[in-house]
């Protein structure tokens, strides 16, 4: 999983740099994965998803990479902006059972 | 469209009190979910519903009950609140189940519940 205990992993980047947020998922049979963004005091917001038959999927400024061999998922954010500051977490699905990671806190420095 | 709304936004209860959290969605979604989010942990599914009049248990259902009398509403009840139920509760809805068909879950803003 992404974190243990009360403290989330953190990532601090400079505005304009690229961000890479990682997620280790637990079930090798999971067939669908989602990345969510959660801003302080708000509900999670869908960013991008990927199916297990794909290795890479691109959206607007975001790319998700899936490595099934090592059960690893990553979210790349290009040209990170202050509005990208949030907690990002991944979710894995198997047989309609969705499991969520705790997340990584991304802070963007101006 | 308001999307998914939750009431109340905050609530403080004493141990043993009961309350109901209301979730409403205006997207005509079939599926609705209740999650809890605790510090340092991922969302955990409490109960869900695959359509009006149906409910099913999720990962952590004990101490909670739900009802889906109308398609647009999903109620979460705590019959006798305990301090362990202090958490942030999120409701979500989706057109289908959140699986490989790509049915995105839309989340509400959350309800912060404290049980003393």
């Amino acid at each position: 999983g992404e974190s243990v205990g009360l403290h989330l992993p953190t990532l601090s980047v400079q505005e304009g740099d690229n961000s890479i947020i990682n997620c280790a998922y637990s079930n090798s049979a999971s067939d669908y994965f989602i990345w969510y963004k959660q801003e302080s005091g708000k509900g999670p917001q869908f960013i991008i998803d990927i199916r297990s038959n794909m290795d890479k999927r691109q959206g607007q400024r975001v790319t998700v990479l899936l490595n099934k061999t090592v059960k690893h998922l990553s979210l790349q954010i290009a040209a990170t902006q202050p509005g990208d500051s949030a907690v990002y977490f991944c979710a894995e699905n198997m047989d309609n059972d969705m499991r969520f990671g705790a997340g990584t806190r991304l802070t963007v420095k101006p | 469209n308001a999307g998914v709304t939750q009431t109340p936004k905050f609530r403080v209860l004493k141990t043993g009190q009961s309350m109901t959290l209301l979730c409403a969605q205006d997207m005509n979604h079939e599926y609705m979910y209740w999650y809890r989010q605790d510090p340092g942990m991922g969302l955990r599914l409490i109960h869900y519903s695959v359509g009006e009049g149906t409910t099913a248990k999720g990962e952590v259902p004990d101490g909670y009950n739900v009802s889906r009398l109308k398609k647009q509403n999903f109620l979460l009840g705590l019959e006798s609140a305990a301090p362990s139920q202090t958490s942030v509760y999120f409701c979500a809805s989706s057109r289908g189940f959140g699986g490989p068909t790509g049915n995105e879950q839309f989340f509400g803003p959350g309800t912060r519940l404290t049980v003393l």
Side-chain angles (χ1 to χ4, degrees):
Chain A
E2 293 171 284
S3 70
V4 176
L6 298 179
H7 301 289
L8 297 178
T10 59
L11 175 66
S12 184
V13 300
Q14 206 70 37
E15 181 179 356
D17 288 350
N18 296 335
S19 302
I20 300 176
I21 301 169
N22 297 305
C23 173
Y25 63 92
S26 58
N27 193 333
S28 57
S30 292
D31 52 14
Y32 177 62
F33 305 87
I34 305 177
W35 276 102
Y36 286 94
K37 173 186 180 182
Q38 187 173 19
E39 296 175 274
S40 181
K42 296 185 178 179
Q45 180 183 9
F46 174 95
I47 301 174
I48 191 168
D49 59 0
I50 188 168
R51 301 179 188 183
S52 59
N53 61 354
M54 302 170 68
D55 296 323
K56 179 180 179 179
R57 189 160 188 226
Q58 286 185 292
Q60 188 174 17
R61 277 202 312 120
V62 294
T63 301
V64 55
L65 298 177
L66 176 62
N67 185 331
K68 294 181 287 293
T69 302
V70 294
K71 294 190 290 185
H72 184 268
L73 198 66
S74 69
L75 176 71
Q76 300 178 1
I77 304 174
T80 315
Q81 302 168 0
D84 294 327
S85 293
V87 173
Y88 292 81
F89 57 88
C90 66
E92 60 179 305
N93 174 84
M94 191 194 72
D95 291 339
N96 290 328
D97 181 13
M98 191 78 74
R99 297 297 172 116
F100 297 82
T104 296
R105 187 178 302 281
L106 174 66
T107 301
V108 182
K109 296 177 290 186
Chain B
N1 285 356
V4 179
T5 58
Q6 293 181 230
T7 52
K9 288 185 168 51
F10 303 94
R11 186 71 186 268
V12 178
L13 291 178
K14 295 181 180 178
T15 297
Q17 287 185 316
S18 63
M19 77 162 295
T20 300
L21 282 66
L22 172 64
C23 175
Q25 53 94 4
D26 60 3
M27 296 173 281
N28 200 35
H29 285 167
E30 289 293 333
Y31 292 74
M32 297 187 74
Y33 317 80
W34 274 108
Y35 294 93
R36 60 179 288 173
Q37 187 177 45
D38 299 297
M41 298 180 68
L43 292 167
R44 290 184 292 169
L45 182 65
I46 304 171
H47 286 280
Y48 64 98
S49 168
V50 301
E52 180 179 317
T54 75
T55 63
K57 293 180 179 180
E59 184 185 353
V60 288
D62 294 342
Y64 306 94
N65 57 75
V66 288
S67 63
R68 184 97 181 269
L69 298 179
K70 293 182 179 180
K71 185 177 184 179
Q72 63 268 32
N73 295 337
F74 195 29
L75 278 62
L76 177 71
L78 284 73
E79 293 178 344
S80 180
S84 61
Q85 294 178 304
T86 294
S87 188
V88 180
Y89 291 85
F90 288 99
C91 176
S93 71
S94 67
R95 182 167 49 86
F97 214 99
T101 53
N103 288 300
E104 175 186 348
Q105 291 189 22
F106 293 83
F107 285 84
T111 295
R112 187 174 294 276
L113 175 67
T114 301
V115 183
L116 303 175

